[in-house]
């Protein structure tokens, strides 16, 4: 079922389990695994490398758009 970019970002924001406003590689891996995606560790590592513009090792709110665009390439439909 297609979803909007905002809906996808809402799902990704839920991966922030410690509530610090940032998504770590571990949080991303666990979240992707919980969505049922295969190769969650690999995807998390690649996603972080792609979307982490400032290189601090986490995805901040400012970097969330890039993460959503990258994740949408995996067959998650965005309208």
């Amino acid at each position: 079922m297609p979803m909007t970019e905002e809906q996808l970002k809402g799902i990704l924001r839920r991966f922030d389990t410690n509530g610090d406003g940032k998504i770590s590689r571990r949080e991303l891996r666990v979240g992707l695994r919980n969505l049922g995606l295969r190769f969650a560790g690999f995807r998390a590592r690649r996603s972080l490398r792609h979307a982490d513009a400032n290189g601090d090792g986490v995805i901040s709110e400012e970097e969330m758009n890039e993460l959503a665009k990258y994740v949408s390439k995996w067959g998650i439909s965005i309208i």
Side-chain angles (χ1 to χ4, degrees), residues 53-70:
N54 63 3
D56 64 354
V58 294
I59 303 296
S60 64
E61 185 62 35
E62 295 80 26
E63 297 163 332
M64 189 63 69
N65 288 336
E66 242 353 271
L67 179 61
K69 288 177 191 174
Y70 187 75

Side-chain angles (χ1 to χ4, degrees), residues 4-67:
T4 66
E5 188 173 331
E6 286 304 313
Q7 289 172 321
L8 179 56
K9 287 193 287 188
I11 290 170
L12 294 171
R13 283 185 189 103
R14 284 189 255 159
F15 294 173
D16 177 22
T17 56
N18 66 1
D20 66 353
K22 300 173 184 172
I23 301 172
S24 68
R25 188 170 108 192
R26 181 187 172 285
E27 289 172 325
L28 188 55
R29 178 179 44 83
V30 170
L32 294 174
R33 184 178 297 141
N34 288 339
L35 288 178
L37 293 173
R38 295 177 61 191
F39 311 111
F42 174 76
R43 289 177 190 246
R45 189 171 51 252
R46 294 291 302 248
S47 299
L48 192 65
R49 194 175 325 157
H50 179 81
D52 183 19
N54 63 3
D56 64 354
V58 294
I59 303 296
S60 64
E61 185 62 35
E62 295 80 26
E63 297 163 332
M64 189 63 69
N65 288 336
E66 242 353 271
L67 179 61

